[in-house]
Amino acid sequence: MSPNDARTIAQAGMAALKGGDPGSARASFERVVAGGVADASVQLGLAYACLALQDQGAALVAVDAALRLEPGNVQALLFKADRMDQAGDARAASMFYRAAIGAAPNPAQLPRELQQELARAQAMCERYAQQFDAHLREQMARACADLGSESARFTESLDLLSGSKQIYYQQPKVYYFPGLAQTQFFDPGQFAWLERLEAATDDIREELLAILDEGAPFEPYVQSQSNRPSKRQDGLVNNPAWSAFHLWRNGEAVQENAQRCPKTMAALAEVPLTRLKGRSPSIMFSLLRPGTHIPPHHGLINTRLICHLPLIVPPGCALRVGNETRECEVGKAWVFDDTIEHEAWNRSDQTRVVLLFEIWRPELSLAEREMVSAMFDVIDQYQGGKVEWSI
């Protein structure tokens, strides 16, 4: 059969299919197939004709042939997905629906009918995911009850498996130390000093309120530097909406400020503050004015963790780290890895203030901490002295 003859016969088959005559359509398509010149569109047309004639077996043979010729054919993938769904094979159907969604070009480039079919495929995938998640959690709840054990990490793994949570990784902007757990918020029980710090909340808050009453200056947290490229922080550069009152900054005490807060400094005496010459620790009262949103970002190094002790907390203040969002509560501290994507907001009409400081990762040995510190000393020597460091 010549290509021209095949094209003419295939067009006749398409016309018969659209005209409601699947028998004639099937005969035309089968002639082209028998001639050995059928492309994916002919095989797919044959599949639709066989389906209309209720010959499910032949329809599957034809669509499989179409997918062998053109694995990324969106309509063939949707056809196969629908057949798998009708057969009760949800897992296979979901895979074909997802393959069709992945193979489709920009929706704006598609006919409206195909756009609607892809939207239906997405809805089917979501339905399968919900059914699978419900089944998995029900069965695993029984299994865990039989085992007599629970695991927060295992529960999170189910969230990741089902897609209800994303996988977030450490992405430090300056330095990455390998082999450290990808933990968003840390268990407070890991830090013996944390409970004693929380117990000092009233004393620390009293010193903060005195500073605020006196109108002591809070500096914008993100500041531009003439010898560095301009930072992009969604309008927060040099903006007092996010401000800090530093007790320690870049590894050195701000004497005047620290002396005004003796109870705060005493409460931090047992804390394993990060020690990097000219860089850490930094200790501050971090202030977020009404309506301020700190956009998603990543911290500098993953050898430290960030601690917040909320002191002034109106409703609507929260911190998201990775998948987990926590509402601020006065006197309830948290420890988190700021190299995992995080953001914070104050959606109230009042100011929010937390005590913010940094500590060493507990997994690092004393020798490893000293090595990291020595490394940054070498970096600073090469750069010709102290650099401006931001927590």
Side-chain angles (χ1 to χ4, degrees):
M1 182 179 293
S2 71
N4 286 336
D5 288 343
R7 189 178 305 110
T8 300
I9 297 170
Q11 288 173 347
M14 289 295 183
L17 188 60
K18 291 178 181 179
D21 185 1
S24 296
R26 179 174 184 172
S28 294
F29 292 133
E30 285 181 337
R31 283 183 62 194
V32 179
V33 171
V37 290
D39 60 12
S41 65
V42 169
Q43 293 286 7
L44 183 58
L46 177 58
Y48 277 112
C50 292
L51 181 65
L53 295 168
Q54 298 185 355
D55 190 343
Q56 296 276 358
L60 283 172
V61 170
V63 75
D64 286 343
L67 288 171
R68 283 195 297 273
L69 292 168
E70 195 176 322
N73 186 299
V74 175
Q75 290 179 307
L77 289 167
L78 289 170
F79 186 97
K80 180 70 179 243
D82 288 339
R83 305 290 76 72
M84 295 297 96
D85 178 66
Q86 289 178 353
D89 190 344
R91 185 174 182 181
S94 177
M95 294 176 70
F96 279 102
Y97 282 129
R98 291 193 184 281
I101 294 168
N106 187 320
Q109 301 173 0
L110 298 174
R112 183 173 180 80
E113 183 179 351
L114 189 51
Q115 291 181 30
Q116 293 173 342
E117 284 295 288
L118 288 169
R120 180 178 65 84
Q122 183 63 47
M124 293 293 288
C125 290
E126 292 170 0
R127 191 189 79 183
Y128 293 139
Q130 291 170 358
Q131 292 173 344
F132 169 71
D133 188 47
H135 171 78
L136 179 65
R137 291 181 188 277
E138 179 183 355
Q139 296 301 315
M140 289 311 305
R142 293 177 182 175
C144 291
D146 292 341
L147 293 170
S149 62
E150 296 181 358
S151 167
R153 290 191 300 177
F154 179 75
T155 300
E156 185 176 7
S157 77
L158 296 183
D159 293 335
L160 296 171
L161 177 63
S162 69
S164 61
K165 287 187 176 181
Q166 294 179 245
I167 299 175
Y168 285 93
Y169 295 109
Q170 298 165 356
Q171 297 182 58
K173 292 189 289 186
V174 173
Y175 174 67
Y176 178 80
F177 191 104
L180 301 179
Q182 305 285 337
T183 303
Q184 296 167 178
F185 284 97
F186 282 68
D187 180 356
Q190 292 182 250
F191 310 101
W193 48 266
L194 195 57
E195 186 175 346
R196 292 189 289 276
L197 176 69
E198 290 177 335
T201 296
D202 289 344
D203 288 338
I204 298 171
R205 191 170 187 271
E206 181 182 357
E207 292 181 338
L208 167 65
L209 291 174
I211 290 168
L212 293 172
D213 288 343
E214 294 168 11
F218 277 67
E219 300 177 355
Y221 180 80
V222 183
Q223 298 186 25
S224 61
Q225 301 174 56
S226 61
N227 62 340
R228 293 290 186 272
S230 178
K231 299 176 181 178
R232 298 183 61 186
Q233 285 281 353
D234 292 345
L236 289 176
V237 177
N238 301 325
N239 189 339
W242 182 18
S243 298
F245 183 85
H246 292 271
L247 307 181
W248 274 63
R249 186 172 190 174
N250 296 334
E252 297 178 359
V254 181
Q255 293 294 347
E256 180 182 354
N257 293 349
Q259 288 170 5
R260 297 173 69 173
C261 302
K263 294 178 181 178
T264 301
M265 298 311 303
L268 293 168
E270 298 179 27
V271 175
L273 299 167
T274 306
R275 301 285 179 177
L276 299 175
K277 184 180 177 182
R279 298 172 183 266
S280 301
S282 286
I283 305 169
M284 70 188 76
F285 293 120
S286 175
L287 181 151
L288 212 56
R289 299 192 188 280
T292 304
H293 178 209
I294 302 172
H297 63 289
H298 300 87
L300 300 176
I301 59 175
N302 71 332
T303 51
R304 57 120 188 253
L305 301 174
I306 302 299
C307 307
H308 284 183
L309 176 65
L311 300 169
I312 299 176
V313 183
C317 295
L319 171 71
R320 177 188 68 83
V321 182
N323 287 299
E324 189 172 352
T325 299
R326 294 191 178 183
E327 298 286 331
C328 297
E329 182 179 349
V330 171
K332 295 296 183 182
W334 53 49
V335 180
F336 66 97
D337 183 344
D338 75 325
T339 65
I340 293 174
E341 182 186 271
H342 62 289
E343 61 183 320
W345 55 84
N346 176 1
R347 294 173 180 161
S348 77
D349 58 359
Q350 303 170 55
T351 295
R352 181 231 72 178
V353 186
V354 302
L355 175 67
L356 187 157
F357 56 95
E358 54 187 324
I359 64 170
W360 285 108
R361 290 280 303 222
E363 306 98 313
L364 295 179
S365 67
L366 178 59
E368 287 171 331
R369 297 176 187 185
E370 291 174 346
M371 291 174 191
V372 172
S373 181
M375 178 196 69
F376 278 107
D377 282 347
V378 171
I379 291 173
D380 288 345
Q381 290 167 13
Y382 178 79
Q383 293 176 334
K386 176 183 172 182
V387 299
E388 186 68 16
W389 187 250
S390 174
I391 198 168

